[in-house]
């Protein structure tokens, strides 16, 4: 998020909180401003209007409520929290303190997804019938702390990656989900959390979405996206690289140290090389009556009766381009425009992710009856 925050015309980055002194020192050296060891101290500062919460997920609920109590607007990273109850408490806290809460960044903010949403909503490509999203990554083999490999503590793809897929389909469709069915895979006993899932979801109007994710670092769906990375830069194929690099760590403690070294405290912000494109989330096909749509590196491909053509999205300014979440947040604060990804939206996303986990465990379809807003979001 930092490159997008730094480049955004409506944002001034003034402070940060992190318990890790190395992260604080790097922030001060790279960006100036004040740093704090705790979220409480940061949120108590009168010089701050809004916070972006990217602490590990087990802290999201407490951090959002701390921000809200102190009158700070907040963007909270995905996953919003680990239980629906926590998500509700966060939303209630933001609403009762009169602050804006936006749940993101998630793939539904990507400019190409917004283009598809608008195209579908315009009716130009006929009614929406089906969505397919296929994502194969190295997710499970990036350096992790032990809790990130424990589902009960929010580890694995069900809390970390599936919310992106759910956000995509929900943004494009715009209405409530009705049911969820999933089969999950825990295929590596040394990393005992869900690393794969295939699922079928249905919206109340009958539209279906099939989602498949594998974080097992063998195939890579960027192959289907002209070798442009999820963040939006050109990359070279590197099948199995994350697995090979992980062999350098002899113990979980070494791996956890490697995790910190690979993050902001160790490396600072990402510096892209090569041409910048839009962020994406695997292969997505959106089937409407008159056309199939799919995000391309620079826009949206429309496959219709006349062949295929590409609609180009305005070019990305930063890598990775996360302007969408900042714009939605800013508009909500300044213009009072209700954000799409508010707390109630976030509750429904997490309810669906947790339902998919339950479905896989109980081998049955889970009805999604607790929708926060039983009407269309458009
Ligand atoms: N939207 C996306 O695509 C995306 C990508 C990566 C991470 N994330 C989310 O962002 C969050 C952070 O992920 P990460 O990979 O940077 O994790 P991380 O574990 O590296 O943590 C980020 C920072 O939080 C600090 N931290 C630890 N405890 C804290 C606390 N109590 N208060 C404040 N800071 C604390 C750490 O020292 C670290 O510098 C996660 O919830 C993750 O799911 C989202």
């Amino acid at each position: 998020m930092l490159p997008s925050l730094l480049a955004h015309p409506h944002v001034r980055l003034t402070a940060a909180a992190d318990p890790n002194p190395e992260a604080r020192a790097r922030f001060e050296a790279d960006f100036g401003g004040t740093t704090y060891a705790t979220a409480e101290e940061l949120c108590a500062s009168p010089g701050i209007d809004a916070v972006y919460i990217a602490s590990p997920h087990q802290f999201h609920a407490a951090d959002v409520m701390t921000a809200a109590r102190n009158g700070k607007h907040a963007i909270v990273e995905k996953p919003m929290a680990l239980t629906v109850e926590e998500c509700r408490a966060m939303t209630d806290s933001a609403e009762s303190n009169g602050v804006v809460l936006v749940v993101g960044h998630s793939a539904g903010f990507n400019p190409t997804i917004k283009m598809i949403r608008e195209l579908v909503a315009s009716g130009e490509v006929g009614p929406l019938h089906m969505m397919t999203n296929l994502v194969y990554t190295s997710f499970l083999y990036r350096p992790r702390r032990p809790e990130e490999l424990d589902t009960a503590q929010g580890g694995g793809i069900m809390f970390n990656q599936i919310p992106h897929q759910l956000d995509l389909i929900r943004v494009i469709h715009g209405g409530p989900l009705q049911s969820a069915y999933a089969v999950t895979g825990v295929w590596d006993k040394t990393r005992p959390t869900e690393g794969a899932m295939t699922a079928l979801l249905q919206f109340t109007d009958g539209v279906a979405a099939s989602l498949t994710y594998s974080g097992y670092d063998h195939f890579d769906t960027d192959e289907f996206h002209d070798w442009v990375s999820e963040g939006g830069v050109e990359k070279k194929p590197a099948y199995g690289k994350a697995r090979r690099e992980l062999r350098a760590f002899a113990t979980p403690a070494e791996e956890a140290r490697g995790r910190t070294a690979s993050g902001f405290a160790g490396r600072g912000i990402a510096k892209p090389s090569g041409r910048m494109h839009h962020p994406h989330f695997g292969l997505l096909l959106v089937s409407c009556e008159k056309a199939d749509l799919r995000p391309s590196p620079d826009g949206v491909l429309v496959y219709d009766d006349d062949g295929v053509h590409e609609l180009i999205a305005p070019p990305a300014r930063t890598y990775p381009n996360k302007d969408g979440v900042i714009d939605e947040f800013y508009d909500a604060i300044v213009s009072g425009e209700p954000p799409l990804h508010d707390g109630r939206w976030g509750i429904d996303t997490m309810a669906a992710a947790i339902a998919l986990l339950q479905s896989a465990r109980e081998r049955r379809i889970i009805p999604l009856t607790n929708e926060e807003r039983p009407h269309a979001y458009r």
Side-chain angles (χ1 to χ4, degrees), residues 1 17-20 23 37-39 52-60 63 77-79 104-107 144-145 147-148 159-161 164 230 259-260 263-265 281 322:
M1 271 296 272
D18 199 303
N20 178 356
T38 66
Y52 160 63
I53 298 169
S55 48
H57 359 298
Q58 61 270 36
F59 303 114
H60 288 181
D63 288 350
E77 265 294 350
K78 62 81 211 164
H105 181 274
S106 34
R144 301 286 175 204
R145 291 185 298 272
E147 82 260 20
E148 295 179 288
F159 285 98
N160 291 281
Q161 298 294 285
H164 280 302
E230 188 179 309
R259 164 106 171 78
T260 305
F264 173 73
F281 207 64
K322 299 201 173 195

Side-chain angles (χ1 to χ4, degrees), residues 4-64:
S4 290
L5 290 170
L6 288 164
H8 201 281
H10 300 313
V11 175
R12 199 151 54 87
L13 194 61
T14 58
D18 199 303
N20 178 356
E22 285 170 26
R24 297 201 297 274
R26 185 178 280 279
F27 184 91
E28 285 174 14
D30 291 359
F31 313 118
T34 316
T35 61
Y36 303 91
T38 66
E40 286 75 14
E41 291 166 275
L42 174 79
C43 291
S45 160
I48 291 164
D49 300 318
V51 293
Y52 160 63
I53 298 169
S55 48
H57 359 298
Q58 61 270 36
F59 303 114
H60 288 181
D63 288 350
V64 164

Side-chain angles (χ1 to χ4, degrees), residues 16-237:
D18 199 303
N20 178 356
E22 285 170 26
R24 297 201 297 274
R26 185 178 280 279
F27 184 91
E28 285 174 14
D30 291 359
F31 313 118
T34 316
T35 61
Y36 303 91
T38 66
E40 286 75 14
E41 291 166 275
L42 174 79
C43 291
S45 160
I48 291 164
D49 300 318
V51 293
Y52 160 63
I53 298 169
S55 48
H57 359 298
Q58 61 270 36
F59 303 114
H60 288 181
D63 288 350
V64 164
M65 291 193 268
T66 301
R69 268 199 313 276
N70 284 280
K72 312 295 189 215
H73 307 288
I75 301 176
V76 63
E77 265 294 350
K78 62 81 211 164
M80 183 176 179
L82 303 185
T83 65
V84 171
E85 292 69 31
E86 279 180 318
C87 295
R88 285 227 167 82
M90 294 154 82
T91 306
D92 291 348
S93 173
E95 287 176 358
S96 63
N97 285 289
V99 297
V100 170
L101 173 62
V102 165
V103 182
H105 181 274
S106 34
F109 289 96
N110 292 349
T112 56
I113 301 305
K114 291 189 117 175
M115 277 181 84
I116 293 180
R117 170 186 166 90
E118 281 158 22
L119 210 55
V120 170
S122 74
E124 231 177 279
V125 285
L128 171 67
H129 290 307
M130 183 171 85
M131 291 178 271
T132 304
N133 184 215
L134 198 66
V135 190
Y136 281 63
T137 70
S138 61
F139 179 81
L140 209 62
Y141 293 90
R142 299 170 199 157
R144 301 286 175 204
R145 291 185 298 272
E147 82 260 20
E148 295 179 288
L149 299 172
D150 176 6
T151 311
Q153 297 187 69
I157 63 163
M158 302 308 287
F159 285 98
N160 291 281
Q161 298 294 285
I162 305 310
H164 280 302
Q165 294 187 295
L166 291 167
D167 192 39
L168 286 183
I169 59 165
R170 295 187 63 219
V171 165
I172 292 167
H173 183 281
L177 283 163
Q178 187 176 43
S179 62
Y181 181 67
V183 177
T184 54
V186 181
W187 301 340
D188 180 347
K189 289 191 178 57
T190 67
R191 301 179 89 70
T193 183
E194 288 77 13
M197 180 201 80
T198 190
L200 186 64
L201 292 116
Q202 199 159 22
F203 289 86
T204 50
D205 62 359
V207 169
S210 123
L211 308 180
T212 294
Y213 193 101
S214 169
Y216 281 103
D217 196 29
H218 286 140
F219 183 61
D220 179 347
T221 26
D222 289 342
E223 183 169 326
F224 294 155
H225 206 80
D226 300 349
W227 288 113
V228 168
S229 72
E230 188 179 309
V233 286
E234 283 152 20
K235 72 180 229 187
K236 293 201 164 53

